[in-house]
Amino acid sequence: MDRTDEIEETPAGPSPRSAKLKLGNRADPFLVVCRCFSLVTSLIAILCVVVNVLAAVRSFRDSHDLFDGIFRCYAVVIACFVVLVETEWGFILKFSKVLEFWAGRGMLQIFAAVMTRAFPDYMAQRKDLLLLQNIASYLLLACGVIYIISGVLCIGFLKRARQQKEISREQAIKDLEEIARRREELEQLLLEHRNRDDDV
């Protein structure tokens, strides 16, 4: 009986659950801002995809210029690639190491913006599509310039370092969860052992 009381009164220290909560509640504001900017860039790139698809359809349908339609198709592919890069999908970055750097992403986005803006003169007849094209191209151009400036200032390197720190924190949380699970199992085994001793 004394041994049982001694075990129950032993200070357990900070529980893994409380430590997990302390680690999990901390979100890096810098990474949140970077993710929001990537989301905005992806949405703008999707807008460029829509504009170029509409322009390609109009070129092929009205037979204005076959080469312009083909050019629009290439612009769609590049704008889609911009969206994939912003998701930071490992498969894409594995084969395009230069796009891990923000300056490289910025140049790709500026290239997609220039291709989107390069509409023929006959587009002046469609004021709505021309306005949409101007908005999409200049917004993506602005994102590309911001990426290049941030890359020169090594913001991308800082982001990757903080991402690695966040991954380490997530791994620590998983380890704490595993420790908590094992602790519950040991407590259950200890309780069963005590019950057997009481029965004896």
PDB file of all heavy atoms in Angstrom, residues 16-37:
ATOM      1  N   PRO A  16       3.533  14.973 -21.816  1.00  0.00           N
ATOM      2  CA  PRO A  16       3.779  15.126 -23.259  1.00  0.00           C
ATOM      3  C   PRO A  16       2.645  15.844 -23.963  1.00  0.00           C
ATOM      4  O   PRO A  16       2.848  16.523 -24.947  1.00  0.00           O
ATOM      5  CB  PRO A  16       3.913  13.673 -23.737  1.00  0.00           C
ATOM      6  CG  PRO A  16       4.314  12.884 -22.536  1.00  0.00           C
ATOM      7  CD  PRO A  16       3.653  13.560 -21.392  1.00  0.00           C
ATOM      8  N   ARG A  17       1.393  15.690 -23.467  1.00  0.00           N
ATOM      9  CA  ARG A  17       0.264  16.358 -24.112  1.00  0.00           C
ATOM     10  C   ARG A  17       0.372  17.868 -23.991  1.00  0.00           C
ATOM     11  O   ARG A  17       0.123  18.602 -24.937  1.00  0.00           O
ATOM     12  CB  ARG A  17      -1.055  15.876 -23.501  1.00  0.00           C
ATOM     13  CG  ARG A  17      -1.370  14.432 -23.817  1.00  0.00           C
ATOM     14  CD  ARG A  17      -2.701  14.032 -23.205  1.00  0.00           C
ATOM     15  NE  ARG A  17      -2.965  12.626 -23.455  1.00  0.00           N
ATOM     16  CZ  ARG A  17      -3.547  12.150 -24.529  1.00  0.00           C
ATOM     17  NH1 ARG A  17      -3.881  12.967 -25.500  1.00  0.00           N
ATOM     18  NH2 ARG A  17      -3.768  10.862 -24.670  1.00  0.00           N
ATOM     19  N   SER A  18       0.747  18.342 -22.769  1.00  0.00           N
ATOM     20  CA  SER A  18       0.879  19.794 -22.595  1.00  0.00           C
ATOM     21  C   SER A  18       2.034  20.331 -23.413  1.00  0.00           C
ATOM     22  O   SER A  18       1.955  21.418 -23.995  1.00  0.00           O
ATOM     23  CB  SER A  18       1.077  20.127 -21.113  1.00  0.00           C
ATOM     24  OG  SER A  18       2.269  19.530 -20.627  1.00  0.00           O
ATOM     25  N   ALA A  19       3.136  19.560 -23.488  1.00  0.00           N
ATOM     26  CA  ALA A  19       4.267  19.998 -24.309  1.00  0.00           C
ATOM     27  C   ALA A  19       3.889  20.023 -25.783  1.00  0.00           C
ATOM     28  O   ALA A  19       4.305  20.900 -26.533  1.00  0.00           O
ATOM     29  CB  ALA A  19       5.465  19.067 -24.087  1.00  0.00           C
ATOM     30  N   LYS A  20       3.049  19.054 -26.185  1.00  0.00           N
ATOM     31  CA  LYS A  20       2.613  19.016 -27.578  1.00  0.00           C
ATOM     32  C   LYS A  20       1.764  20.229 -27.903  1.00  0.00           C
ATOM     33  O   LYS A  20       1.882  20.821 -28.973  1.00  0.00           O
ATOM     34  CB  LYS A  20       1.819  17.731 -27.821  1.00  0.00           C
ATOM     35  CG  LYS A  20       1.334  17.597 -29.246  1.00  0.00           C
ATOM     36  CD  LYS A  20       0.422  16.427 -29.427  1.00  0.00           C
ATOM     37  CE  LYS A  20      -0.922  16.727 -28.804  1.00  0.00           C
ATOM     38  NZ  LYS A  20      -1.927  15.703 -29.123  1.00  0.00           N
ATOM     39  N   LEU A  21       0.902  20.622 -26.981  1.00  0.00           N
ATOM     40  CA  LEU A  21       0.064  21.791 -27.212  1.00  0.00           C
ATOM     41  C   LEU A  21       0.896  23.051 -27.320  1.00  0.00           C
ATOM     42  O   LEU A  21       0.638  23.921 -28.139  1.00  0.00           O
ATOM     43  CB  LEU A  21      -0.968  21.922 -26.085  1.00  0.00           C
ATOM     44  CG  LEU A  21      -2.076  20.859 -26.072  1.00  0.00           C
ATOM     45  CD1 LEU A  21      -2.946  21.017 -24.843  1.00  0.00           C
ATOM     46  CD2 LEU A  21      -2.919  20.959 -27.336  1.00  0.00           C
ATOM     47  N   LYS A  22       1.923  23.149 -26.479  1.00  0.00           N
ATOM     48  CA  LYS A  22       2.786  24.332 -26.537  1.00  0.00           C
ATOM     49  C   LYS A  22       3.508  24.410 -27.875  1.00  0.00           C
ATOM     50  O   LYS A  22       3.664  25.480 -28.450  1.00  0.00           O
ATOM     51  CB  LYS A  22       3.809  24.291 -25.398  1.00  0.00           C
ATOM     52  CG  LYS A  22       3.191  24.533 -24.022  1.00  0.00           C
ATOM     53  CD  LYS A  22       4.250  24.475 -22.940  1.00  0.00           C
ATOM     54  CE  LYS A  22       3.652  24.703 -21.565  1.00  0.00           C
ATOM     55  NZ  LYS A  22       4.680  24.611 -20.498  1.00  0.00           N
ATOM     56  N   LEU A  23       3.952  23.256 -28.385  1.00  0.00           N
ATOM     57  CA  LEU A  23       4.653  23.254 -29.662  1.00  0.00           C
ATOM     58  C   LEU A  23       3.699  23.477 -30.827  1.00  0.00           C
ATOM     59  O   LEU A  23       4.009  24.182 -31.777  1.00  0.00           O
ATOM     60  CB  LEU A  23       5.383  21.911 -29.860  1.00  0.00           C
ATOM     61  CG  LEU A  23       6.653  21.705 -29.030  1.00  0.00           C
ATOM     62  CD1 LEU A  23       7.124  20.274 -29.176  1.00  0.00           C
ATOM     63  CD2 LEU A  23       7.744  22.672 -29.431  1.00  0.00           C
ATOM     64  N   GLY A  24       2.509  22.870 -30.743  1.00  0.00           N
ATOM     65  CA  GLY A  24       1.598  22.915 -31.869  1.00  0.00           C
ATOM     66  C   GLY A  24       0.916  24.257 -32.061  1.00  0.00           C
ATOM     67  O   GLY A  24       0.479  24.581 -33.158  1.00  0.00           O
ATOM     68  N   ASN A  25       0.781  25.045 -30.994  1.00  0.00           N
ATOM     69  CA  ASN A  25       0.058  26.302 -31.103  1.00  0.00           C
ATOM     70  C   ASN A  25       0.901  27.417 -31.691  1.00  0.00           C
ATOM     71  O   ASN A  25       0.385  28.500 -31.951  1.00  0.00           O
ATOM     72  CB  ASN A  25      -0.442  26.723 -29.712  1.00  0.00           C
ATOM     73  CG  ASN A  25      -1.574  25.818 -29.234  1.00  0.00           C
ATOM     74  OD1 ASN A  25      -2.282  25.244 -30.038  1.00  0.00           O
ATOM     75  ND2 ASN A  25      -1.720  25.698 -27.920  1.00  0.00           N
ATOM     76  N   ARG A  26       2.168  27.181 -31.888  1.00  0.00           N
ATOM     77  CA  ARG A  26       3.047  28.231 -32.410  1.00  0.00           C
ATOM     78  C   ARG A  26       3.130  28.147 -33.924  1.00  0.00           C
ATOM     79  O   ARG A  26       3.749  27.242 -34.468  1.00  0.00           O
ATOM     80  CB  ARG A  26       4.450  28.090 -31.815  1.00  0.00           C
ATOM     81  CG  ARG A  26       4.566  28.570 -30.379  1.00  0.00           C
ATOM     82  CD  ARG A  26       6.011  28.509 -29.937  1.00  0.00           C
ATOM     83  NE  ARG A  26       6.230  27.458 -28.973  1.00  0.00           N
ATOM     84  CZ  ARG A  26       7.418  27.015 -28.615  1.00  0.00           C
ATOM     85  NH1 ARG A  26       8.499  27.509 -29.173  1.00  0.00           N
ATOM     86  NH2 ARG A  26       7.538  26.076 -27.720  1.00  0.00           N
ATOM     87  N   ALA A  27       2.507  29.083 -34.598  1.00  0.00           N
ATOM     88  CA  ALA A  27       2.588  29.155 -36.061  1.00  0.00           C
ATOM     89  C   ALA A  27       3.522  30.300 -36.438  1.00  0.00           C
ATOM     90  O   ALA A  27       3.414  31.405 -35.901  1.00  0.00           O
ATOM     91  CB  ALA A  27       1.207  29.381 -36.659  1.00  0.00           C
ATOM     92  N   ASP A  28       4.443  30.013 -37.331  1.00  0.00           N
ATOM     93  CA  ASP A  28       5.418  31.013 -37.752  1.00  0.00           C
ATOM     94  C   ASP A  28       4.734  32.056 -38.630  1.00  0.00           C
ATOM     95  O   ASP A  28       4.260  31.727 -39.733  1.00  0.00           O
ATOM     96  CB  ASP A  28       6.547  30.329 -38.523  1.00  0.00           C
ATOM     97  CG  ASP A  28       7.748  31.246 -38.705  1.00  0.00           C
ATOM     98  OD1 ASP A  28       7.546  32.473 -38.715  1.00  0.00           O
ATOM     99  OD2 ASP A  28       8.871  30.733 -38.836  1.00  0.00           O
ATOM    100  N   PRO A  29       4.621  33.311 -38.182  1.00  0.00           N
ATOM    101  CA  PRO A  29       3.947  34.343 -38.994  1.00  0.00           C
ATOM    102  C   PRO A  29       4.618  34.551 -40.344  1.00  0.00           C
ATOM    103  O   PRO A  29       3.940  34.836 -41.337  1.00  0.00           O
ATOM    104  CB  PRO A  29       4.051  35.614 -38.125  1.00  0.00           C
ATOM    105  CG  PRO A  29       4.328  35.120 -36.747  1.00  0.00           C
ATOM    106  CD  PRO A  29       5.090  33.844 -36.905  1.00  0.00           C
ATOM    107  N   PHE A  30       5.936  34.404 -40.398  1.00  0.00           N
ATOM    108  CA  PHE A  30       6.656  34.592 -41.662  1.00  0.00           C
ATOM    109  C   PHE A  30       6.223  33.552 -42.690  1.00  0.00           C
ATOM    110  O   PHE A  30       5.965  33.872 -43.859  1.00  0.00           O
ATOM    111  CB  PHE A  30       8.163  34.514 -41.403  1.00  0.00           C
ATOM    112  CG  PHE A  30       8.998  34.637 -42.643  1.00  0.00           C
ATOM    113  CD1 PHE A  30       9.214  35.877 -43.225  1.00  0.00           C
ATOM    114  CD2 PHE A  30       9.558  33.520 -43.240  1.00  0.00           C
ATOM    115  CE1 PHE A  30       9.976  35.996 -44.380  1.00  0.00           C
ATOM    116  CE2 PHE A  30      10.324  33.621 -44.386  1.00  0.00           C
ATOM    117  CZ  PHE A  30      10.530  34.867 -44.953  1.00  0.00           C
ATOM    118  N   LEU A  31       6.117  32.293 -42.255  1.00  0.00           N
ATOM    119  CA  LEU A  31       5.695  31.231 -43.175  1.00  0.00           C
ATOM    120  C   LEU A  31       4.237  31.409 -43.583  1.00  0.00           C
ATOM    121  O   LEU A  31       3.859  31.093 -44.719  1.00  0.00           O
ATOM    122  CB  LEU A  31       5.898  29.867 -42.518  1.00  0.00           C
ATOM    123  CG  LEU A  31       7.350  29.424 -42.315  1.00  0.00           C
ATOM    124  CD1 LEU A  31       7.404  28.069 -41.640  1.00  0.00           C
ATOM    125  CD2 LEU A  31       8.097  29.379 -43.634  1.00  0.00           C
ATOM    126  N   VAL A  32       3.412  31.918 -42.669  1.00  0.00           N
ATOM    127  CA  VAL A  32       2.007  32.177 -43.013  1.00  0.00           C
ATOM    128  C   VAL A  32       1.906  33.223 -44.113  1.00  0.00           C
ATOM    129  O   VAL A  32       1.150  33.081 -45.076  1.00  0.00           O
ATOM    130  CB  VAL A  32       1.226  32.623 -41.757  1.00  0.00           C
ATOM    131  CG1 VAL A  32      -0.182  33.081 -42.136  1.00  0.00           C
ATOM    132  CG2 VAL A  32       1.148  31.489 -40.751  1.00  0.00           C
ATOM    133  N   VAL A  33       2.720  34.289 -43.995  1.00  0.00           N
ATOM    134  CA  VAL A  33       2.734  35.338 -45.018  1.00  0.00           C
ATOM    135  C   VAL A  33       3.215  34.769 -46.356  1.00  0.00           C
ATOM    136  O   VAL A  33       2.647  35.063 -47.424  1.00  0.00           O
ATOM    137  CB  VAL A  33       3.612  36.516 -44.577  1.00  0.00           C
ATOM    138  CG1 VAL A  33       3.806  37.514 -45.714  1.00  0.00           C
ATOM    139  CG2 VAL A  33       2.996  37.222 -43.370  1.00  0.00           C
ATOM    140  N   CYS A  34       4.257  33.930 -46.311  1.00  0.00           N
ATOM    141  CA  CYS A  34       4.778  33.327 -47.544  1.00  0.00           C
ATOM    142  C   CYS A  34       3.740  32.437 -48.207  1.00  0.00           C
ATOM    143  O   CYS A  34       3.586  32.441 -49.440  1.00  0.00           O
ATOM    144  CB  CYS A  34       6.044  32.525 -47.238  1.00  0.00           C
ATOM    145  SG  CYS A  34       7.483  33.533 -46.803  1.00  0.00           S
ATOM    146  N   ARG A  35       2.998  31.669 -47.405  1.00  0.00           N
ATOM    147  CA  ARG A  35       1.968  30.805 -47.977  1.00  0.00           C
ATOM    148  C   ARG A  35       0.837  31.622 -48.586  1.00  0.00           C
ATOM    149  O   ARG A  35       0.295  31.255 -49.638  1.00  0.00           O
ATOM    150  CB  ARG A  35       1.429  29.868 -46.896  1.00  0.00           C
ATOM    151  CG  ARG A  35       2.445  28.813 -46.448  1.00  0.00           C
ATOM    152  CD  ARG A  35       1.848  27.833 -45.468  1.00  0.00           C
ATOM    153  NE  ARG A  35       2.849  26.892 -44.980  1.00  0.00           N
ATOM    154  CZ  ARG A  35       3.255  26.817 -43.718  1.00  0.00           C
ATOM    155  NH1 ARG A  35       2.736  27.631 -42.812  1.00  0.00           N
ATOM    156  NH2 ARG A  35       4.173  25.948 -43.358  1.00  0.00           N
ATOM    157  N   CYS A  36       0.469  32.710 -47.917  1.00  0.00           N
ATOM    158  CA  CYS A  36      -0.579  33.576 -48.467  1.00  0.00           C
ATOM    159  C   CYS A  36      -0.133  34.192 -49.792  1.00  0.00           C
ATOM    160  O   CYS A  36      -0.921  34.264 -50.758  1.00  0.00           O
ATOM    161  CB  CYS A  36      -0.933  34.671 -47.464  1.00  0.00           C
ATOM    162  SG  CYS A  36      -1.792  34.072 -45.990  1.00  0.00           S
ATOM    163  N   PHE A  37       1.128  34.613 -49.863  1.00  0.00           N
ATOM    164  CA  PHE A  37       1.634  35.193 -51.102  1.00  0.00           C
ATOM    165  C   PHE A  37       1.684  34.152 -52.213  1.00  0.00           C
ATOM    166  O   PHE A  37       1.367  34.448 -53.377  1.00  0.00           O
ATOM    167  CB  PHE A  37       3.021  35.788 -50.868  1.00  0.00           C
ATOM    168  CG  PHE A  37       3.589  36.496 -52.068  1.00  0.00           C
ATOM    169  CD1 PHE A  37       3.010  37.655 -52.548  1.00  0.00           C
ATOM    170  CD2 PHE A  37       4.701  35.985 -52.727  1.00  0.00           C
ATOM    171  CE1 PHE A  37       3.521  38.301 -53.663  1.00  0.00           C
ATOM    172  CE2 PHE A  37       5.216  36.625 -53.841  1.00  0.00           C
ATOM    173  CZ  PHE A  37       4.625  37.787 -54.305  1.00  0.00           C
TER     174      PHE A  37
END
